[in-house]
Amino acid sequence: MDQQKGKIYTVQFWLLCSSSLLFSASFNMMIPELPAYLTSLGGEDYKGYIIGLFTLMAGLSRPFSGKLTDTIGRVPVMVFGSLVCVVCSLLYPLVGSVSAFLLLRFFHGFSTGFKPTGTSAYVADLVPYTRRGEAMGIVGLFSTIGLSLGPSIGGQIAHMWGIMSMFRISAVFALLSVVILIGMKETLHNRQTFSPTLLKISRHEIFEPLVWAPVVITFLTYFSYGALLTVIPDFSAYLGMENKGLFFTFFTASSIAIRLVAGKASDRFGRVPMLKISATLMAVSMLMIGLAHTPAALIAGALVYGVSLGINSPAVTAWTIDLGRPEHRGRALGSMYIALEAGIGLGAFCSAEWYNNKPEHFSTVFFIMAAVTIFATIYLMFIYRNKYVRYMRRSLKLRARH
């Protein structure tokens, strides 16, 4: 096994990275253009639902993707997630009403409900514990590159050839992601054949109690991400930025730069210390964005936010895998991603309500985001204790004996 040899830079690893890049670019290239597209359908008052419905479905599907990842395998789960992107991207040009758009957006959330769960579990299978943060950082780097290129590519395509062409090219990116996955080796041993009975989820299969701490931090730190996705396109236009995807390009660029060292740092110094730094920087970035009155100031806030997210992502993912049980790796990751989607979705809904299409509310939204993120730092410093994890491990062992 590659994990036993201590290798992470294998062919399988690079294939996974490439698939993640194409997948993230596929669904993210349409984000800056969707508010205007929904407005053209008469849904100006429903902008918060663009991200909210997407993340709601992603969150609801996590228990299923986690269980299927632990039973039928990592690769089938990843393939399904990418195929959802293909189908939904091709259907966007066919919708002609606000209700149809929102329904499609809801089902599009299946994609991120499945693909990242399978991807993270696959990485954990491939690499040794001592390099887990590094590996998560590299995979996240490729995913972040996709997130960065997506809005810029989508915006340019929409400007040159129209938004319908953008949807079709999004489908092509997702399809290429599927093609790569088909050639990858499955890493799960003792796989089961898919059966509809596997879709029955019991109460204890929804959440992995050992990963409660990463779940809390994920929710608190991704709350602001939902606000950014919802409000930044309008804020960028308000400040005179023609390309509404530039904010995402700059924050992703700084995230990419820091990921080159952040994953290794979490392996060396620990997950919690790196997450404390990340949460503090994230709060600072929210304050910077809330105080921005020029495009340059907004970009500065984007750069700081990118650094904070680049530190956060590999550390919290590796921490989740560290605390969870290997046989329930998909469930542990699913629990973390439920928190991620809940944070993004609730952040999107709340920010849309607070913003309410009134420019004078921009600062208020991001000041509230700063307060939420500061609480993540407080939690890590004063509330979280490793004793909880040890207690839960003992409880689970006793439960298994009886």
Side-chain angles (χ1 to χ4, degrees), residues 183-208:
M184 293 177 60
K185 298 177 182 178
E186 179 56 57
T187 57
L188 178 67
H189 300 294
N190 302 318
R191 295 173 58 196
Q192 300 180 33
T193 302
F194 175 78
S195 168
T197 58
L198 292 176
L199 299 178
K200 295 180 180 179
I201 303 294
S202 61
R203 180 173 56 84
H204 74 275
E205 291 176 317
I206 296 176
F207 183 78
E208 176 56 62

PDB file of all heavy atoms in Angstrom, residues 183-208:
ATOM      1  N   GLY A 183     -11.008   6.031 -14.476  1.00  0.00           N
ATOM      2  CA  GLY A 183      -9.760   5.280 -14.568  1.00  0.00           C
ATOM      3  C   GLY A 183      -9.030   5.097 -13.248  1.00  0.00           C
ATOM      4  O   GLY A 183      -7.920   4.560 -13.226  1.00  0.00           O
ATOM      5  N   MET A 184      -9.640   5.494 -12.142  1.00  0.00           N
ATOM      6  CA  MET A 184      -8.956   5.415 -10.851  1.00  0.00           C
ATOM      7  C   MET A 184      -9.271   4.122 -10.098  1.00  0.00           C
ATOM      8  O   MET A 184     -10.364   3.580 -10.217  1.00  0.00           O
ATOM      9  CB  MET A 184      -9.337   6.628  -9.984  1.00  0.00           C
ATOM     10  CG  MET A 184      -8.813   7.945 -10.542  1.00  0.00           C
ATOM     11  SD  MET A 184      -9.322   9.379  -9.565  1.00  0.00           S
ATOM     12  CE  MET A 184      -8.585   8.984  -7.984  1.00  0.00           C
ATOM     13  N   LYS A 185      -8.301   3.643  -9.322  1.00  0.00           N
ATOM     14  CA  LYS A 185      -8.473   2.427  -8.542  1.00  0.00           C
ATOM     15  C   LYS A 185      -9.231   2.729  -7.256  1.00  0.00           C
ATOM     16  O   LYS A 185      -8.980   3.718  -6.594  1.00  0.00           O
ATOM     17  CB  LYS A 185      -7.106   1.827  -8.204  1.00  0.00           C
ATOM     18  CG  LYS A 185      -6.289   1.412  -9.423  1.00  0.00           C
ATOM     19  CD  LYS A 185      -4.927   0.902  -8.991  1.00  0.00           C
ATOM     20  CE  LYS A 185      -4.079   0.518 -10.191  1.00  0.00           C
ATOM     21  NZ  LYS A 185      -2.720   0.052  -9.781  1.00  0.00           N
ATOM     22  N   GLU A 186     -10.125   1.824  -6.899  1.00  0.00           N
ATOM     23  CA  GLU A 186     -10.871   1.971  -5.646  1.00  0.00           C
ATOM     24  C   GLU A 186      -9.956   1.637  -4.460  1.00  0.00           C
ATOM     25  O   GLU A 186      -9.157   0.705  -4.522  1.00  0.00           O
ATOM     26  CB  GLU A 186     -12.084   1.044  -5.645  1.00  0.00           C
ATOM     27  CG  GLU A 186     -12.913   1.091  -4.376  1.00  0.00           C
ATOM     28  CD  GLU A 186     -13.389   2.488  -4.051  1.00  0.00           C
ATOM     29  OE1 GLU A 186     -14.065   3.102  -4.907  1.00  0.00           O
ATOM     30  OE2 GLU A 186     -13.082   2.959  -2.937  1.00  0.00           O
ATOM     31  N   THR A 187     -10.073   2.423  -3.379  1.00  0.00           N
ATOM     32  CA  THR A 187      -9.219   2.223  -2.206  1.00  0.00           C
ATOM     33  C   THR A 187      -9.953   1.559  -1.040  1.00  0.00           C
ATOM     34  O   THR A 187      -9.317   1.198  -0.045  1.00  0.00           O
ATOM     35  CB  THR A 187      -8.656   3.573  -1.714  1.00  0.00           C
ATOM     36  OG1 THR A 187      -9.746   4.466  -1.427  1.00  0.00           O
ATOM     37  CG2 THR A 187      -7.758   4.198  -2.773  1.00  0.00           C
ATOM     38  N   LEU A 188     -11.268   1.424  -1.130  1.00  0.00           N
ATOM     39  CA  LEU A 188     -12.030   0.817  -0.041  1.00  0.00           C
ATOM     40  C   LEU A 188     -12.014  -0.705  -0.166  1.00  0.00           C
ATOM     41  O   LEU A 188     -12.365  -1.250  -1.211  1.00  0.00           O
ATOM     42  CB  LEU A 188     -13.479   1.321  -0.051  1.00  0.00           C
ATOM     43  CG  LEU A 188     -14.396   0.724   1.021  1.00  0.00           C
ATOM     44  CD1 LEU A 188     -13.964   1.179   2.412  1.00  0.00           C
ATOM     45  CD2 LEU A 188     -15.851   1.104   0.763  1.00  0.00           C
ATOM     46  N   HIS A 189     -11.627  -1.369   0.886  1.00  0.00           N
ATOM     47  CA  HIS A 189     -11.650  -2.834   0.915  1.00  0.00           C
ATOM     48  C   HIS A 189     -13.035  -3.314   1.364  1.00  0.00           C
ATOM     49  O   HIS A 189     -13.796  -2.577   1.989  1.00  0.00           O
ATOM     50  CB  HIS A 189     -10.574  -3.367   1.864  1.00  0.00           C
ATOM     51  CG  HIS A 189      -9.188  -2.966   1.473  1.00  0.00           C
ATOM     52  ND1 HIS A 189      -8.578  -3.401   0.310  1.00  0.00           N
ATOM     53  CD2 HIS A 189      -8.288  -2.141   2.090  1.00  0.00           C
ATOM     54  CE1 HIS A 189      -7.359  -2.883   0.225  1.00  0.00           C
ATOM     55  NE2 HIS A 189      -7.158  -2.118   1.292  1.00  0.00           N
ATOM     56  N   ASN A 190     -13.356  -4.537   1.048  1.00  0.00           N
ATOM     57  CA  ASN A 190     -14.632  -5.144   1.453  1.00  0.00           C
ATOM     58  C   ASN A 190     -15.833  -4.300   1.012  1.00  0.00           C
ATOM     59  O   ASN A 190     -16.729  -3.984   1.801  1.00  0.00           O
ATOM     60  CB  ASN A 190     -14.665  -5.337   2.981  1.00  0.00           C
ATOM     61  CG  ASN A 190     -13.525  -6.192   3.483  1.00  0.00           C
ATOM     62  OD1 ASN A 190     -13.185  -7.199   2.869  1.00  0.00           O
ATOM     63  ND2 ASN A 190     -12.907  -5.779   4.585  1.00  0.00           N
ATOM     64  N   ARG A 191     -15.813  -3.936  -0.266  1.00  0.00           N
ATOM     65  CA  ARG A 191     -16.895  -3.120  -0.814  1.00  0.00           C
ATOM     66  C   ARG A 191     -18.182  -3.931  -0.917  1.00  0.00           C
ATOM     67  O   ARG A 191     -18.161  -5.150  -1.104  1.00  0.00           O
ATOM     68  CB  ARG A 191     -16.532  -2.616  -2.211  1.00  0.00           C
ATOM     69  CG  ARG A 191     -15.366  -1.661  -2.255  1.00  0.00           C
ATOM     70  CD  ARG A 191     -14.981  -1.365  -3.699  1.00  0.00           C
ATOM     71  NE  ARG A 191     -16.123  -0.806  -4.433  1.00  0.00           N
ATOM     72  CZ  ARG A 191     -16.178  -0.736  -5.764  1.00  0.00           C
ATOM     73  NH1 ARG A 191     -15.193  -1.224  -6.501  1.00  0.00           N
ATOM     74  NH2 ARG A 191     -17.229  -0.198  -6.347  1.00  0.00           N
ATOM     75  N   GLN A 192     -19.303  -3.231  -0.811  1.00  0.00           N
ATOM     76  CA  GLN A 192     -20.613  -3.841  -0.998  1.00  0.00           C
ATOM     77  C   GLN A 192     -21.192  -3.411  -2.345  1.00  0.00           C
ATOM     78  O   GLN A 192     -20.871  -2.346  -2.859  1.00  0.00           O
ATOM     79  CB  GLN A 192     -21.574  -3.412   0.116  1.00  0.00           C
ATOM     80  CG  GLN A 192     -21.137  -3.784   1.513  1.00  0.00           C
ATOM     81  CD  GLN A 192     -22.133  -3.331   2.553  1.00  0.00           C
ATOM     82  OE1 GLN A 192     -23.348  -3.302   2.307  1.00  0.00           O
ATOM     83  NE2 GLN A 192     -21.633  -2.965   3.733  1.00  0.00           N
ATOM     84  N   THR A 193     -22.047  -4.263  -2.884  1.00  0.00           N
ATOM     85  CA  THR A 193     -22.773  -3.895  -4.098  1.00  0.00           C
ATOM     86  C   THR A 193     -23.908  -2.952  -3.715  1.00  0.00           C
ATOM     87  O   THR A 193     -24.574  -3.151  -2.699  1.00  0.00           O
ATOM     88  CB  THR A 193     -23.349  -5.136  -4.795  1.00  0.00           C
ATOM     89  OG1 THR A 193     -22.269  -6.037  -5.092  1.00  0.00           O
ATOM     90  CG2 THR A 193     -24.066  -4.753  -6.086  1.00  0.00           C
ATOM     91  N   PHE A 194     -24.116  -1.929  -4.537  1.00  0.00           N
ATOM     92  CA  PHE A 194     -25.165  -0.964  -4.193  1.00  0.00           C
ATOM     93  C   PHE A 194     -26.527  -1.638  -4.128  1.00  0.00           C
ATOM     94  O   PHE A 194     -26.887  -2.464  -4.965  1.00  0.00           O
ATOM     95  CB  PHE A 194     -25.225   0.171  -5.213  1.00  0.00           C
ATOM     96  CG  PHE A 194     -26.380   1.117  -4.964  1.00  0.00           C
ATOM     97  CD1 PHE A 194     -26.298   2.074  -3.962  1.00  0.00           C
ATOM     98  CD2 PHE A 194     -27.554   1.023  -5.701  1.00  0.00           C
ATOM     99  CE1 PHE A 194     -27.366   2.930  -3.711  1.00  0.00           C
ATOM    100  CE2 PHE A 194     -28.629   1.865  -5.463  1.00  0.00           C
ATOM    101  CZ  PHE A 194     -28.521   2.823  -4.457  1.00  0.00           C
ATOM    102  N   SER A 195     -27.264  -1.270  -3.104  1.00  0.00           N
ATOM    103  CA  SER A 195     -28.627  -1.748  -2.914  1.00  0.00           C
ATOM    104  C   SER A 195     -29.449  -0.600  -2.360  1.00  0.00           C
ATOM    105  O   SER A 195     -28.933   0.219  -1.574  1.00  0.00           O
ATOM    106  CB  SER A 195     -28.651  -2.922  -1.935  1.00  0.00           C
ATOM    107  OG  SER A 195     -29.984  -3.214  -1.541  1.00  0.00           O
ATOM    108  N   PRO A 196     -30.727  -0.483  -2.761  1.00  0.00           N
ATOM    109  CA  PRO A 196     -31.574   0.594  -2.221  1.00  0.00           C
ATOM    110  C   PRO A 196     -31.639   0.600  -0.703  1.00  0.00           C
ATOM    111  O   PRO A 196     -31.876   1.646  -0.090  1.00  0.00           O
ATOM    112  CB  PRO A 196     -32.953   0.290  -2.829  1.00  0.00           C
ATOM    113  CG  PRO A 196     -32.644  -0.414  -4.110  1.00  0.00           C
ATOM    114  CD  PRO A 196     -31.427  -1.250  -3.805  1.00  0.00           C
ATOM    115  N   THR A 197     -31.403  -0.558  -0.069  1.00  0.00           N
ATOM    116  CA  THR A 197     -31.442  -0.610   1.395  1.00  0.00           C
ATOM    117  C   THR A 197     -30.324   0.236   2.017  1.00  0.00           C
ATOM    118  O   THR A 197     -30.434   0.661   3.171  1.00  0.00           O
ATOM    119  CB  THR A 197     -31.311  -2.060   1.886  1.00  0.00           C
ATOM    120  OG1 THR A 197     -30.086  -2.628   1.387  1.00  0.00           O
ATOM    121  CG2 THR A 197     -32.481  -2.901   1.398  1.00  0.00           C
ATOM    122  N   LEU A 198     -29.251   0.469   1.249  1.00  0.00           N
ATOM    123  CA  LEU A 198     -28.152   1.293   1.758  1.00  0.00           C
ATOM    124  C   LEU A 198     -28.565   2.759   1.910  1.00  0.00           C
ATOM    125  O   LEU A 198     -27.867   3.538   2.572  1.00  0.00           O
ATOM    126  CB  LEU A 198     -26.937   1.193   0.830  1.00  0.00           C
ATOM    127  CG  LEU A 198     -26.219  -0.154   0.790  1.00  0.00           C
ATOM    128  CD1 LEU A 198     -25.110  -0.130  -0.252  1.00  0.00           C
ATOM    129  CD2 LEU A 198     -25.652  -0.504   2.164  1.00  0.00           C
ATOM    130  N   LEU A 199     -29.667   3.138   1.280  1.00  0.00           N
ATOM    131  CA  LEU A 199     -30.150   4.516   1.383  1.00  0.00           C
ATOM    132  C   LEU A 199     -30.980   4.747   2.642  1.00  0.00           C
ATOM    133  O   LEU A 199     -31.420   5.868   2.893  1.00  0.00           O
ATOM    134  CB  LEU A 199     -30.967   4.879   0.131  1.00  0.00           C
ATOM    135  CG  LEU A 199     -30.211   4.823  -1.199  1.00  0.00           C
ATOM    136  CD1 LEU A 199     -31.138   5.154  -2.349  1.00  0.00           C
ATOM    137  CD2 LEU A 199     -29.016   5.773  -1.176  1.00  0.00           C
ATOM    138  N   LYS A 200     -31.194   3.674   3.401  1.00  0.00           N
ATOM    139  CA  LYS A 200     -31.888   3.831   4.670  1.00  0.00           C
ATOM    140  C   LYS A 200     -30.871   4.263   5.721  1.00  0.00           C
ATOM    141  O   LYS A 200     -29.907   3.547   6.001  1.00  0.00           O
ATOM    142  CB  LYS A 200     -32.549   2.513   5.089  1.00  0.00           C
ATOM    143  CG  LYS A 200     -33.661   2.059   4.144  1.00  0.00           C
ATOM    144  CD  LYS A 200     -34.273   0.736   4.621  1.00  0.00           C
ATOM    145  CE  LYS A 200     -35.380   0.276   3.684  1.00  0.00           C
ATOM    146  NZ  LYS A 200     -35.968  -1.024   4.128  1.00  0.00           N
ATOM    147  N   ILE A 201     -31.078   5.418   6.281  1.00  0.00           N
ATOM    148  CA  ILE A 201     -30.131   5.988   7.237  1.00  0.00           C
ATOM    149  C   ILE A 201     -30.729   5.955   8.643  1.00  0.00           C
ATOM    150  O   ILE A 201     -31.793   6.530   8.890  1.00  0.00           O
ATOM    151  CB  ILE A 201     -29.769   7.444   6.865  1.00  0.00           C
ATOM    152  CG1 ILE A 201     -29.209   7.510   5.443  1.00  0.00           C
ATOM    153  CG2 ILE A 201     -28.786   8.023   7.868  1.00  0.00           C
ATOM    154  CD1 ILE A 201     -27.895   6.821   5.260  1.00  0.00           C
ATOM    155  N   SER A 202     -30.049   5.260   9.544  1.00  0.00           N
ATOM    156  CA  SER A 202     -30.493   5.255  10.938  1.00  0.00           C
ATOM    157  C   SER A 202     -29.967   6.497  11.656  1.00  0.00           C
ATOM    158  O   SER A 202     -29.087   7.197  11.153  1.00  0.00           O
ATOM    159  CB  SER A 202     -29.998   3.992  11.651  1.00  0.00           C
ATOM    160  OG  SER A 202     -28.583   3.952  11.656  1.00  0.00           O
ATOM    161  N   ARG A 203     -30.472   6.757  12.831  1.00  0.00           N
ATOM    162  CA  ARG A 203     -30.115   7.967  13.562  1.00  0.00           C
ATOM    163  C   ARG A 203     -28.616   8.057  13.842  1.00  0.00           C
ATOM    164  O   ARG A 203     -28.010   9.106  13.687  1.00  0.00           O
ATOM    165  CB  ARG A 203     -30.894   8.020  14.876  1.00  0.00           C
ATOM    166  CG  ARG A 203     -30.619   9.238  15.732  1.00  0.00           C
ATOM    167  CD  ARG A 203     -31.562   9.282  16.921  1.00  0.00           C
ATOM    168  NE  ARG A 203     -31.472   8.067  17.716  1.00  0.00           N
ATOM    169  CZ  ARG A 203     -30.558   7.860  18.665  1.00  0.00           C
ATOM    170  NH1 ARG A 203     -29.664   8.804  18.922  1.00  0.00           N
ATOM    171  NH2 ARG A 203     -30.544   6.736  19.356  1.00  0.00           N
ATOM    172  N   HIS A 204     -27.999   6.929  14.224  1.00  0.00           N
ATOM    173  CA  HIS A 204     -26.579   6.973  14.579  1.00  0.00           C
ATOM    174  C   HIS A 204     -25.672   7.065  13.358  1.00  0.00           C
ATOM    175  O   HIS A 204     -24.458   7.302  13.499  1.00  0.00           O
ATOM    176  CB  HIS A 204     -26.199   5.746  15.420  1.00  0.00           C
ATOM    177  CG  HIS A 204     -26.120   4.474  14.625  1.00  0.00           C
ATOM    178  ND1 HIS A 204     -27.226   3.698  14.370  1.00  0.00           N
ATOM    179  CD2 HIS A 204     -25.067   3.851  14.019  1.00  0.00           C
ATOM    180  CE1 HIS A 204     -26.862   2.647  13.658  1.00  0.00           C
ATOM    181  NE2 HIS A 204     -25.569   2.714  13.430  1.00  0.00           N
ATOM    182  N   GLU A 205     -26.226   6.893  12.152  1.00  0.00           N
ATOM    183  CA  GLU A 205     -25.411   6.989  10.942  1.00  0.00           C
ATOM    184  C   GLU A 205     -25.354   8.411  10.386  1.00  0.00           C
ATOM    185  O   GLU A 205     -24.625   8.675   9.435  1.00  0.00           O
ATOM    186  CB  GLU A 205     -25.968   6.054   9.860  1.00  0.00           C
ATOM    187  CG  GLU A 205     -25.783   4.591  10.176  1.00  0.00           C
ATOM    188  CD  GLU A 205     -26.439   3.696   9.138  1.00  0.00           C
ATOM    189  OE1 GLU A 205     -27.577   3.979   8.710  1.00  0.00           O
ATOM    190  OE2 GLU A 205     -25.803   2.692   8.740  1.00  0.00           O
ATOM    191  N   ILE A 206     -26.093   9.322  10.973  1.00  0.00           N
ATOM    192  CA  ILE A 206     -26.124  10.693  10.474  1.00  0.00           C
ATOM    193  C   ILE A 206     -24.905  11.478  10.926  1.00  0.00           C
ATOM    194  O   ILE A 206     -24.337  12.270  10.165  1.00  0.00           O
ATOM    195  CB  ILE A 206     -27.414  11.404  10.950  1.00  0.00           C
ATOM    196  CG1 ILE A 206     -28.637  10.706  10.333  1.00  0.00           C
ATOM    197  CG2 ILE A 206     -27.397  12.885  10.568  1.00  0.00           C
ATOM    198  CD1 ILE A 206     -29.960  11.274  10.825  1.00  0.00           C
ATOM    199  N   PHE A 207     -24.482  11.239  12.142  1.00  0.00           N
ATOM    200  CA  PHE A 207     -23.422  12.069  12.723  1.00  0.00           C
ATOM    201  C   PHE A 207     -22.397  11.222  13.452  1.00  0.00           C
ATOM    202  O   PHE A 207     -22.756  10.261  14.140  1.00  0.00           O
ATOM    203  CB  PHE A 207     -24.051  13.095  13.679  1.00  0.00           C
ATOM    204  CG  PHE A 207     -23.069  14.052  14.288  1.00  0.00           C
ATOM    205  CD1 PHE A 207     -22.588  15.128  13.557  1.00  0.00           C
ATOM    206  CD2 PHE A 207     -22.619  13.877  15.588  1.00  0.00           C
ATOM    207  CE1 PHE A 207     -21.674  16.021  14.113  1.00  0.00           C
ATOM    208  CE2 PHE A 207     -21.713  14.758  16.159  1.00  0.00           C
ATOM    209  CZ  PHE A 207     -21.240  15.831  15.411  1.00  0.00           C
ATOM    210  N   GLU A 208     -21.125  11.558  13.299  1.00  0.00           N
ATOM    211  CA  GLU A 208     -20.034  10.892  14.002  1.00  0.00           C
ATOM    212  C   GLU A 208     -19.675  11.733  15.235  1.00  0.00           C
ATOM    213  O   GLU A 208     -19.107  12.826  15.108  1.00  0.00           O
ATOM    214  CB  GLU A 208     -18.814  10.756  13.089  1.00  0.00           C
ATOM    215  CG  GLU A 208     -17.580  10.171  13.751  1.00  0.00           C
ATOM    216  CD  GLU A 208     -17.833   8.822  14.381  1.00  0.00           C
ATOM    217  OE1 GLU A 208     -18.189   7.876  13.651  1.00  0.00           O
ATOM    218  OE2 GLU A 208     -17.688   8.715  15.619  1.00  0.00           O
TER     219      GLU A 208
END
